Amino acid sequence: MKKQILAFLLAVAMVLSLAACGNNDSSTETTAAADTTTTAADTTTEAESEETTTADEEINLRMAWWGSQTRHDITVEVIEMYEDLNPNVKIEYEFYSFDDYFTKLKTLVASDQVWDIFQLGGNFPMYQDKIFYLNDYIDSGIVDVAGISDSYLKITQDTEGNQLGLSNGLNTYGIAYDPAMFAEAGVAEPTETWTWDDYKNAAMTITEKLDIFGSSSFTTSDFIAGCSTYIGQYGDIGEYSFFNLDHTGMGFDDPAMLTPFIQMRADMINAGAYPDAGASTEITNIENDFLVTGEAAMTWVAANQFPTIYDICLAEDRTLKLAPLPRIKADGPSGAAIQSSQMLCVSQDSQSKEAAAAFISWFQNDPDCNSILQGERGIPVNNTVRDTLSASATPGQQVMYDFVNMVSGFEMPEKINVLSPDGQDLVQDNYLNYIQQVTFGEITAEEAAQKTYDDASSIF
Amino acid sequence: MKNKRFFNKTVYHGFVLLLGFMMIYPVLWMIAGSFKDNGEILRGSLSLIPETFKLENYSTGWSGFGKITFKTFFANSIFITVTATFGTVVSSALVAYSLSRIKFRGSKFWFSCMLATMMLPGQVIMIPQYLIYHKLGLVPGYVPLILPYFCGQAFFIYQMMQFMKGIPRELDEAATIDGCSKYTIFSKIILPLLKSSIVTTVIIQFYWKWDDFLGPLLYLSKPQTYTVSIAIKQFADAASTTDFGAMFAMSTLSLIPVFLIFLFFNRYLVTGIGTSGLKG
Amino acid sequence: MKGAAIKNGRMRSLIYNDNTVGHIFALPFIFGFISFSLIPIVFSFYYSFTDYSLGTKTAEWIGFVNFVNIFKDEVFFKSLLKTLQYVVVSVPLKLSFSLMIAFLLTRKSKLVTLYRSLYYIPSLVGGSVAVALVWKQLFARRGLFNTVLDNIGLPTINWFGDQNLAIYPLILLSVWQFGSSMIIFAAGLKEIPTTYYEAAKIDGAKGYQSFFRITLPCLSPIIQYNLVMQTIAAFMSFTQALIITGGGPNNSTMLYGLYVYNQAFKYNNMGYASAMSWIMLIVMSLVTMVIFKSSKLWVFSESGD
């Protein structure tokens, strides 16, 4: 018996010590990571010394992205192309669907093994510690930015000018619509400077006349594309933003500024001009959006989604158009911004950061590579690549290129923050929920605005 | 009398079949979907007969991603599932025997621990667990997906314990008087009487493991090592395009192994009240 | 035993001692528990008193703040109530349905295998994305259910838009996937000795009488097992809600497990999620304890414990 107890205790002690050392390890690693971010100079020398010795040796890189079958296939193809061009580089790749990608990324963050090259969207402040800034590689020429204009580099920089990555595609929000349905309902088509009132009236009239949704929903992006853009349209350009630029607090101080937008949403839902929660769940994918299925006359899209739905509708003899987001006042700020759909970043955990950066540079700039990628991730940032692709664009892609050009021409604030603060997802989910509560009559739009404001301020 | 019997039989079979059809309709719809055009699926057609038979769904689906076909994914899934199921049966039977038949210090304590492992949401255990395997250098790899199954699965341990309750203790006692040790009792008496329970375990564990998605997602990284469950999800991406036809086609194929296992082992459960009289 | 021990010395007595034998048989579990479950459990307990986030990876001790916040959280209470509703409705339905089917399918018939396969298939498709999509389609505004309602002249129902109804498609889905409990019941039914039924028949018992006097008591350990397991599983379930409704409308399908998942992975509040998990553990322990305590009254055991 005693022996058993002894053995048992030993086993427990062993396991606990394992846990303890695991704990120590991770804490030292986190502090190490913190060090590297604070003293960027140190890390570069470290990185350089690391890599000069391995220049001709076999380099193994790990890369991951999210997407669907087409993206997986073409990305694998260009990776193999790169391996042929650089025989000493081997790239191990992983791919997932969007949600799974982030679940996986979180476990890798927890264990400090983030892929050398990884893809990030706009909502990534929590991963910023894991990003190795490209500034020094740009200075040393390893990352070639000659073909990328400054304004397009800026869309993947933080407010301090750190280059987080290179964008895979330019993007901006817009409203796709079916002009035939507008004509049928006798509603004027959107203009470049249409207002939210125009938008609401158009939607309501279409619903009344055609018995379909005036506009389809865009559940997860309603907050960013709708509510958050809306705040930026108050006052002068750059006067207000939802969060302030350095993400230390709110960018506006009157919750009532949110009320009209929330009220409009609720009114539209109650009038059947906008899908309610039940109908929204039926949209699983941009391809079965109500605009595509013919049950709505408009829908919110990110510009890079437009060619897909354009092509589907074209097959049914419907020609879609793309309009900018409505404004509060026709002569007021547009609130629009050119954003990065997603970007490729180099990870802090990487052992071969330089090689990873070199790959990213090639990925964004090489014409052969991009002739395979075909701008599937969004409009390329490299000018030559973009010109080549747009020259051979399909009609749907052409609309997208023209639209992004047009929005780029809008007056925009000098400074924007491309990051969204940690905790935004909770604010967004609650916001969508408050709108539902308003439609169910549980709270008023004023209360919903106040609650959203309180939720948002409480993340700081 | 004979008529009444016939009538009863018809009602019974009719009822069972009708209910069965209702039960299986969604599955049939999925199988039908595997032959449908993407557009037809997206329009939400309820028909079980596709407008156009699109067999290409199977070939595009099977071709997988980036030159890795579903052949690889199926092989991986089968390897993991078979090993894990085998582990579950062996280890769970051992543990169940100790917890239900042997009075030893701490048996109640371990039983409570076992139940507790099922009561904490996996979402919060996942990351610390991942870190342990990571520290042990087992990630990425198949070990974290298989090893725990050799340590007994609470769900099945408890199930076998309940089945052991049905085995009279007099059998053990008689065997003990004959000079049998606990080891012999387990292998010669309990195990053979546990057949139905083991068959159930095999059927259920096989499909659970086959369907398991989160485990492979966390512990595997190279696409060459992916399981079918992960691979199927790669078709679906809400932000870009999804090939639903191909996804349904592969989902349909992925049912086959699980169903075969079921058919094979089910015959050990079919002899119902009518014929079985061995256990008493 | 005593005789054997004296004859073969201490070593042998150690090996055959109940304490040793018990531990040897239980070793796989003890090893697995200590190495792969205990530490994560301890960690999750520790995290519940911290602001641990998967992103920043810092875990600052904040005492009971998480627990205090939980009790101020509207969504928490809503999800707890909705989960209770889900459990209380789905578990009894699922159990009685699977017991009924298992019982029906013990009839001596060549078709039984076919039938059982038919009923088992829905459970095989389990967590797949495909089945969630199918389910969504069935309850959609123009889905099968509404088409049927429409055809017989009844008004259609906006299942996922109505906060009082949205939970029912999820409950039905859980009942629909009753295969594993049916298989276990079937195995249990098979274990009931035929002699019992024969004896009852001789005593003149009718069909339903032998069901209540023989089938149910003999099956009671299995019923108890399925009850405990399905209750735990129902408390934990979240993937279906995640895929089908995402928790809406107005959080009326925000099952507890889904909320824990969102807090942990979507909102990066692992500390908060851990605290929520421990509250769940307490709730479930209480529920299971009630089942176990009450089982003394209705569970019948051959082995007499």
Side-chain angles (χ1 to χ4, degrees):
Chain A
M1 239 348 256
K2 267 185 188 162
K3 264 185 194 163
Q4 280 174 350
I5 295 174
L6 196 70
F8 178 75
L9 286 178
L10 267 175
V12 172
M14 228 168 69
V15 173
L16 286 180
S17 64
L18 181 79
C21 74
N23 209 7
N24 286 340
D25 275 14
S26 63
S27 61
T28 49
E29 271 161 17
T30 33
T31 48
D35 284 347
T36 48
T37 40
T38 46
T39 55
D42 280 3
T43 42
T44 40
T45 49
E46 211 181 277
E48 273 161 16
S49 63
E50 227 171 67
E51 276 143 21
T52 39
T53 52
T54 59
D56 287 306
E57 286 167 31
E58 186 99 329
I59 297 173
N60 284 301
L61 294 176
R62 287 154 64 238
M63 173 178 179
W65 64 89
W66 71 82
S68 57
Q69 202 176 14
T70 330
R71 185 177 298 169
H72 303 328
D73 288 347
I74 54 178
T75 312
V76 170
E77 207 181 325
V78 301
I79 285 175
E80 282 166 1
M81 190 169 155
Y82 189 77
E83 286 176 335
D84 287 344
L85 293 170
N86 303 273
N88 63 327
V89 179
K90 286 274 159 296
I91 300 180
E92 281 177 13
Y93 50 84
E94 298 170 33
F95 43 77
Y96 303 97
S97 61
F98 185 83
D99 294 340
D100 302 337
Y101 178 86
F102 283 96
T103 308
K104 183 83 183 186
L105 178 55
K106 276 165 191 166
T107 60
L108 296 180
V109 168
S111 58
D112 295 308
Q113 328 169 70
V114 177
W115 309 288
D116 300 279
I117 304 162
F118 64 118
Q119 183 171 304
L120 279 180
N123 190 16
F124 52 83
M126 61 171 289
Y127 307 111
Q128 210 181 340
D129 291 350
K130 282 289 164 200
I131 298 175
F132 186 83
Y133 304 139
L134 297 180
N135 301 41
D136 294 314
Y137 292 133
I138 292 177
D139 294 344
S140 64
I142 287 169
V143 172
D144 177 16
V145 294
I148 306 173
S149 61
D150 278 351
S151 58
Y152 291 160
L153 279 177
K154 242 174 79 178
I155 62 175
T156 50
Q157 282 171 4
D158 66 8
T159 42
E160 279 142 38
N162 295 314
Q163 193 70 40
L164 304 164
L166 288 190
S167 174
N168 281 332
L170 305 171
N171 213 356
T172 188
Y173 292 112
I175 289 189
Y177 66 97
D178 185 340
M181 288 177 173
F182 274 66
E184 200 185 334
V187 178
E189 281 185 37
T191 62
E192 242 181 70
T193 56
W194 66 326
T195 64
W196 291 106
D197 287 336
D198 298 337
Y199 162 82
K200 184 181 170 184
N201 292 338
M204 296 289 212
T205 319
I206 289 167
T207 300
E208 205 178 296
K209 296 260 171 69
L210 307 183
D211 197 27
I212 55 173
F213 293 120
S215 171
S216 173
S217 81
F218 194 38
T219 341
T220 47
S221 300
D222 189 74
F223 178 72
I224 299 170
C227 182
S228 172
T229 305
Y230 189 80
I231 293 298
Q233 296 176 340
Y234 275 105
D236 293 328
I237 282 193
E239 190 178 345
Y240 297 106
S241 57
F242 197 90
F243 297 111
N244 68 16
L245 279 182
D246 38 358
H247 286 167
T248 51
M250 304 298 287
F252 67 109
D253 33 53
D254 184 8
M257 286 163 75
L258 288 167
T259 316
F261 191 82
I262 294 175
Q263 187 67 56
M264 176 188 76
R265 263 285 160 277
D267 289 348
M268 285 172 71
I269 293 174
N270 283 335
Y274 196 84
D276 68 353
S280 294
T281 59
E282 288 172 25
I283 308 171
T284 48
N285 199 287
I286 188 72
E287 290 163 275
N288 74 340
D289 187 276
F290 292 136
L291 173 65
V292 179
T293 58
E295 291 172 84
M298 297 183 254
T299 192
W300 300 73
V301 283
N304 66 339
Q305 296 174 320
F306 185 77
T308 310
I309 59 171
Y310 182 89
D311 291 345
I312 303 174
C313 289
L314 196 64
E316 291 166 27
D317 286 328
R318 294 165 58 204
T319 311
L320 299 186
K321 286 188 176 177
L322 191 52
L325 296 183
R327 310 174 182 212
I328 294 180
K329 283 185 295 187
D331 55 351
S334 68
I338 297 290
Q339 296 160 336
S340 165
S341 61
Q342 42 177 264
M343 61 181 170
L344 288 185
C345 303
V346 173
S347 109
Q348 281 284 0
D349 300 334
S350 170
Q351 299 299 313
S352 327
K353 299 188 178 72
E354 190 175 308
F359 174 82
I360 294 178
S361 175
W362 178 82
F363 190 86
Q364 309 295 6
N365 294 313
D366 187 77
D368 295 335
C369 163
N370 279 284
S371 72
I372 296 171
L373 293 175
Q374 279 296 327
E376 188 266 339
R377 284 174 164 86
I379 298 175
V381 283
N382 178 296
N383 299 329
T384 339
V385 170
R386 190 169 61 250
D387 291 344
T388 321
L389 286 184
S390 66
S392 59
T394 63
Q397 286 171 337
Q398 196 54 55
V399 177
M400 166 183 82
Y401 285 116
D402 293 345
F403 180 74
V404 172
N405 275 337
M406 177 182 79
V407 175
S408 308
F410 287 171
E411 203 185 338
M412 284 183 203
E414 251 167 56
K415 273 197 151 187
I416 49 157
N417 193 338
V418 297
L419 304 160
S420 37
D422 199 358
Q424 182 181 281
D425 281 336
L426 180 59
V427 177
Q428 179 176 310
D429 282 1
N430 281 343
Y431 156 79
L432 292 169
N433 206 51
Y434 296 143
I435 291 183
Q436 288 168 13
Q437 292 183 351
V438 176
T439 61
F440 289 130
E442 289 176 13
I443 56 175
T444 64
E446 286 78 27
E447 284 166 336
Q450 185 66 48
K451 282 185 162 197
T452 303
Y453 192 88
D454 292 345
D455 284 346
S457 354
S458 75
I459 65 178
F460 301 109
Chain B
M1 195 57 197
K2 224 180 181 178
N3 270 340
K4 199 185 164 196
R5 209 157 166 212
F6 177 75
F7 176 75
N8 274 345
K9 257 197 159 159
T10 320
V11 169
Y12 165 76
H13 288 291
F15 176 73
V16 172
L17 268 179
L18 185 76
L19 197 65
F21 177 76
M22 278 162 57
M23 294 294 299
I24 211 176
Y25 173 85
V27 181
L28 294 179
W29 191 88
M30 184 188 89
I31 296 172
S34 70
F35 296 104
K36 284 179 184 169
D37 193 38
N38 222 15
E40 196 184 342
I41 298 169
L42 287 171
R43 257 176 279 128
S45 142
L46 294 167
S47 153
L48 289 183
I49 299 150
E51 287 165 9
T52 47
F53 261 91
K54 207 182 158 202
L55 274 172
E56 300 96 88
N57 284 338
Y58 281 86
S59 52
T60 44
W62 187 263
S63 69
F65 318 93
K67 291 179 192 155
I68 305 159
T69 66
F70 265 78
K71 193 178 148 201
T72 315
F73 305 140
F74 269 93
N76 295 336
S77 274
I78 288 172
F79 169 72
I80 294 175
T81 311
V82 168
T83 328
T85 309
F86 172 76
T88 305
V89 170
V90 174
S91 60
S92 302
L94 291 173
V95 178
Y97 177 63
S98 79
L99 292 181
S100 86
R101 279 301 215 249
I102 305 173
K103 287 203 166 62
F104 68 101
R105 230 168 285 173
S107 63
K108 285 240 164 75
F109 170 75
W110 294 118
F111 180 72
S112 320
C113 286
M114 189 188 82
L115 286 183
T117 55
M118 289 189 286
M119 291 183 196
L120 261 186
Q123 298 91 303
V124 296
I125 303 294
M126 217 166 86
I127 297 288
Q129 215 157 34
Y130 176 87
L131 290 176
I132 293 175
Y133 287 113
H134 170 62
K135 295 287 173 209
L136 293 173
L138 298 171
V139 182
Y142 287 148
V143 178
L145 297 176
I146 292 172
L147 184 60
Y149 292 84
F150 281 85
C151 300
Q153 287 293 300
F155 184 90
F156 299 106
I157 296 176
Y158 184 29
Q159 186 233 80
M160 290 179 180
M161 286 173 67
Q162 294 302 87
F163 274 88
M164 283 182 197
K165 276 192 183 172
I167 303 171
R169 254 177 207 273
E170 292 83 44
L171 287 180
D172 300 37
E173 279 153 22
T176 312
I177 292 165
D178 289 350
C180 290
S181 68
K182 296 277 183 199
Y183 305 99
T184 331
I185 296 176
F186 174 70
S187 58
K188 294 277 162 61
I189 298 173
I190 303 289
L191 215 48
L193 290 181
L194 215 54
K195 203 171 77 188
S196 326
S197 173
I198 288 174
V199 168
T200 338
T201 305
V202 171
I203 296 177
I204 297 174
Q205 178 69 78
F206 191 91
Y207 99 74
W208 277 359
K209 191 65 197 164
W210 186 267
D211 269 356
D212 178 27
F213 169 74
L214 213 50
L217 175 67
L218 294 188
Y219 294 112
L220 302 177
S221 60
K222 284 186 205 162
Q224 287 85 349
T225 62
Y226 286 176
T227 59
V228 176
S229 58
I230 297 197
I232 286 177
K233 268 201 88 180
Q234 307 310 318
F235 286 108
D237 183 60
S240 44
T241 54
T242 300
D243 190 345
F244 284 105
M247 190 178 83
F248 283 179
M250 290 305 107
S251 301
T252 305
L253 286 189
S254 120
L255 283 181
I256 295 175
V258 206
F259 193 58
L260 287 181
I261 288 287
F262 171 76
L263 279 188
F264 181 77
F265 284 97
N266 187 40
R267 46 191 174 140
Y268 295 107
L269 296 177
V270 285
T271 38
I273 293 165
T275 52
S276 125
L278 315 159
K279 324 277 150 33
Chain C
M1 272 306 269
K2 249 181 195 169
I6 294 161
K7 235 189 275 170
N8 296 291
R10 289 180 57 201
M11 194 54 205
R12 215 180 136 82
S13 85
L14 185 68
I15 296 177
Y16 290 103
N17 174 293
D18 269 7
N19 255 317
T20 324
V21 179
H23 280 104
I24 288 177
F25 274 96
L27 193 66
F29 174 75
I30 296 174
F31 167 77
F33 180 77
I34 292 174
S35 27
F36 306 121
S37 301
L38 186 62
I39 300 169
I41 289 173
V42 171
F43 266 71
S44 78
F45 187 67
Y46 165 71
Y47 289 151
S48 65
F49 295 98
T50 67
D51 61 355
Y52 182 52
S53 144
L54 284 181
T56 54
K57 300 209 297 178
T58 51
E60 299 251 328
W61 183 268
I62 52 168
F64 283 91
V65 172
N66 284 328
F67 292 93
V68 173
N69 287 339
I70 285 175
F71 285 102
K72 285 194 239 158
D73 184 349
E74 294 172 31
V75 185
F76 164 79
F77 284 106
K78 190 152 191 179
S79 75
L80 193 61
L81 283 177
K82 278 294 167 185
T83 309
L84 284 176
Q85 184 191 357
Y86 178 80
V87 172
V88 168
V89 181
S90 75
V91 173
L93 266 180
K94 186 173 186 169
L95 289 190
S96 37
F97 196 54
S98 52
L99 177 58
M100 183 186 88
I101 300 289
F103 189 69
L104 270 181
L105 296 184
T106 46
R107 284 212 184 183
K108 225 170 133 189
S109 159
K110 281 196 180 128
L111 292 171
V112 160
T113 312
L114 171 78
Y115 289 157
R116 195 178 286 146
S117 321
L118 215 61
Y119 285 86
Y120 187 66
I121 288 176
S123 304
L124 298 180
V125 293
S128 79
V129 187
V131 85
L133 283 175
V134 173
W135 210 252
K136 222 157 144 174
Q137 210 76 68
L138 289 179
F139 289 91
R141 289 163 310 134
R142 296 196 185 90
L144 183 72
F145 277 82
N146 279 331
T147 315
V148 171
L149 285 177
D150 203 34
N151 282 340
I152 54 175
L154 291 171
T156 58
I157 297 169
N158 183 358
W159 290 96
F160 297 123
D162 187 321
Q163 43 177 343
N164 296 317
L165 293 178
I167 192 101
Y168 289 100
L170 295 180
I171 290 176
L172 270 181
L173 177 56
S174 128
V175 176
W176 182 62
Q177 300 191 312
F178 66 95
S180 65
S181 24
M182 178 192 73
I183 294 280
I184 295 169
F185 275 136
L189 285 172
K190 197 197 156 191
E191 295 303 300
I192 302 173
T194 349
T195 43
Y196 290 10
Y197 289 100
E198 282 155 11
K201 217 169 188 179
I202 292 165
D203 292 346
K206 297 242 166 48
Y208 65 91
Q209 279 173 326
S210 57
F211 178 79
F212 285 105
R213 290 200 195 142
I214 299 168
T215 313
L216 281 187
C218 287
L219 208 57
S220 57
I222 309 298
I223 298 177
Q224 179 201 15
Y225 165 78
N226 269 336
L227 179 63
V228 173
M229 286 300 137
Q230 295 302 335
T231 307
I232 293 179
F235 268 113
M236 292 291 169
S237 89
F238 81 102
T239 29
Q240 314 290 11
L242 176 71
I243 301 176
I244 297 176
T245 61
N250 193 8
N251 290 332
S252 63
T253 54
M254 185 58 78
L255 296 184
Y256 202 88
L258 178 56
Y259 194 48
V260 170
Y261 173 83
N262 279 348
Q263 285 289 356
F265 284 93
K266 199 171 177 192
Y267 312 145
N268 295 320
N269 297 325
M270 189 53 101
Y272 194 86
S274 302
M276 280 185 67
S277 302
W278 279 85
I279 294 178
M280 160 91 357
L281 180 80
I282 293 167
V283 171
M284 273 197 304
S285 316
L286 289 177
V287 173
T288 337
M289 214 146 74
V290 170
I291 299 176
F292 276 122
K293 291 279 174 213
S294 75
S295 69
K296 294 220 162 67
L297 303 172
W298 57 273
V299 174
F300 167 85
S301 163
E302 284 277 358
S303 56
D305 54 25

